[in-house]
Amino acid sequence: MADEETYILTKEDFQEQKEVIKKQILGNTKLEGREKRMALTVLDGIGQSVMAGGVRQHGITKQMMKVSLPIFGKMSEDKRHNEKELKVLRALTMVVYEALYGKRR
């Protein structure tokens, strides 16, 4: 159990799980096209940021993040995902939440 708690995802892990999550979003019949598009844009932007070492991504609007937050949040609560997928989904949820509601400097 302790190993699971301290396991850190690598950039490659994140990219691998990003592709799995992308397929799940595309296959979700409960989401409208607009919601899918926005969630995928945010997912791709955060993925690019991870690969670049945390660089801020331009072109992601607050509206996109507001639509994506409940999608990533609900997905991160679904226990059918494996541990790596859950870690990526929780990270996505946290990053989007912080971008929307974190303290501004």
Side-chain angles (χ1 to χ4, degrees):
M1 184 79 173
D3 288 337
E4 284 183 24
E5 297 296 323
T6 58
Y7 179 73
I8 297 174
L9 291 170
T10 63
K11 290 178 182 181
E12 292 75 22
D13 288 336
F14 189 93
Q15 289 300 329
E16 182 181 305
Q17 298 311 314
K18 182 184 98 166
E19 293 305 315
V20 172
I21 293 166
K22 186 176 190 175
K23 289 177 186 175
Q24 291 170 350
I25 290 171
L26 286 170
N28 189 332
T29 58
K30 294 178 182 176
L31 297 176
E32 297 176 8
R34 175 180 161 271
E35 294 170 319
K36 287 181 184 182
R37 219 174 17 259
M38 287 185 176
L40 292 172
T41 300
V42 172
L43 178 64
D44 285 339
I46 293 173
Q48 290 173 5
S49 179
V50 166
M51 292 309 287
V55 177
R56 183 166 187 244
Q57 294 299 309
H58 299 283
I60 298 175
T61 65
K62 281 192 172 198
Q63 181 63 30
M64 289 177 183
M65 288 188 280
K66 285 179 181 179
V67 169
S68 300
L69 183 61
I71 294 170
F72 296 145
K74 287 180 184 175
M75 289 178 76
S76 70
E77 293 172 353
D78 188 346
K79 300 300 180 195
R80 293 177 290 178
H81 297 286
N82 66 40
E83 190 61 31
K84 283 185 180 179
E85 288 172 12
L86 288 172
K87 285 186 183 230
V88 170
L89 287 164
R90 289 178 187 133
L92 288 168
T93 304
M94 183 206 61
V95 167
V96 172
Y97 181 85
E98 281 296 317
L100 285 171
Y101 305 111
K103 290 185 178 180
R104 301 283 180 214
R105 292 182 185 165

